[in-house]
Amino acid sequence: MAVPSRKIVDRRVRKGIKKHRPDITVIDLKDHVLGRAAAVVAKQLLLGKKITVVRCEKLTIAGTEIRNKIKYLNFLRKRKLTNPTLGPFHHRSPSDIFTRTVRSMLPRYTKPGQKALRQLVAYEGVPVNVARASARVVIPKAQRFACYKSERPYTVLGNMCKHVGWKYSDVVEKLEQARKEKSARFFKKTEKVRAAWKSARAAALKKINASNLAVLQKFGFA
């Protein structure tokens, strides 16, 4: 009987192992700079992360709104004269503009670049499936107050897109208002439970000896 090769043995071992699926990182892009945020997201996508970005309409661009609007309207005029159906394709929604910005920072004509771009999902507002999924994070070095001086003018991406053909700003605003009201109701409903946990935690800390309490305080658990 032939002895199986090492390659076959490894394949049999790997067959029973679940494929590693990285956790999805949800990033809230409110008050982030478009280019800085896109650069960080593009790098993380190339490293294999799965990223979902929400509230793309709250992204900011440097400069006054009229200046950025004129620049984008000039971009909308660019097309292939002989056959406009071949592109370039002009996106009006903030999520598509962010995705295109990230795409420009990836090697999108290679397989790793295409795979990285498929792992990015962008939304306007915060949809229900994302709001319940996990905690949202921010990118500190891409936030507006860390990049712009306070007196500098800036443009909110959603406001600009509203003037160049994006038709769903009112719908997104209405859904966001409903989400915030629902979140406020849930926060008020669970207020007694949080107060009970807080008092129970304080009572438990009183029963711990001083040395153990010092260790907990050192690591921020007390």
Side-chain angles (χ1 to χ4, degrees):
M1 182 179 173
V3 179
S5 67
R6 187 70 218 166
K7 187 177 180 182
I8 294 172
V9 172
D10 288 343
R11 191 180 297 138
R12 285 175 184 170
V13 171
R14 287 198 307 270
K15 197 171 181 183
I17 299 173
K18 281 188 176 180
K19 186 178 179 183
H20 173 64
R21 300 193 181 280
D23 295 329
I24 299 173
T25 305
V26 181
I27 302 175
D28 188 348
L29 291 180
K30 182 182 178 183
D31 278 337
H32 283 59
V33 179
L34 174 62
R36 299 287 181 92
V40 174
V41 169
K43 181 62 177 178
Q44 294 304 313
L45 289 172
L46 287 172
L47 293 174
K49 301 284 181 67
K50 287 187 176 180
I51 295 177
T52 298
V53 295
V54 295
R55 295 213 275 187
C56 290
E57 78 279 2
K58 300 293 184 182
L59 281 163
T60 61
I61 311 171
T64 58
E65 187 174 324
I66 187 65
R67 175 177 179 269
N68 288 311
K69 178 183 168 184
I70 290 168
K71 283 174 68 177
Y72 204 79
L73 289 173
N74 285 332
F75 168 66
L76 292 181
R77 293 176 62 243
K78 290 178 170 57
R79 64 192 184 118
K80 186 180 177 69
L81 288 176
T82 54
N83 191 352
T85 59
L86 296 178
F89 305 105
H90 309 102
H91 303 291
R92 268 79 168 184
S93 69
S95 60
D96 287 340
I97 290 173
F98 180 78
T99 303
R100 185 187 172 108
T101 308
V102 174
R103 187 188 72 176
S104 303
M105 298 179 180
L106 293 172
R108 65 190 181 101
Y109 292 112
T110 64
K111 286 188 177 180
Q114 291 168 2
K115 182 183 177 183
L117 190 59
R118 284 197 299 270
Q119 292 179 339
L120 172 66
V121 181
Y123 294 108
E124 291 93 12
V126 185
V128 176
N129 61 328
V130 177
R132 295 174 180 174
S134 60
R136 299 191 290 275
V137 299
V138 298
I139 306 170
K141 63 181 180 182
Q143 288 183 305
R144 174 174 56 82
F145 60 81
C147 298
Y148 301 156
K149 291 182 178 179
S150 58
E151 68 271 12
R152 293 295 182 184
Y154 63 90
T155 304
V156 178
L157 185 60
N159 294 346
M160 187 196 76
C161 291
K162 194 160 54 173
H163 297 299
V164 296
W166 184 44
K167 301 177 182 178
Y168 297 99
S169 60
D170 295 335
V171 176
V172 171
E173 192 175 340
K174 183 179 177 182
L175 291 172
E176 277 293 280
Q177 187 62 32
R179 178 186 67 83
K180 289 173 184 176
E181 288 174 2
K182 184 178 179 181
S183 179
R185 288 196 301 270
F186 179 78
F187 185 82
K188 189 175 181 181
K189 183 180 177 181
T190 56
E191 198 168 5
K192 291 181 180 178
V193 177
R194 285 196 308 277
W197 271 108
K198 188 177 180 180
S199 60
R201 197 175 291 111
L205 287 173
K206 288 179 183 177
K207 298 177 183 179
I208 298 175
N209 60 41
S211 60
N212 289 342
L213 185 61
V215 174
L216 288 174
Q217 286 174 344
K218 181 181 176 181
F219 293 100
F221 292 108

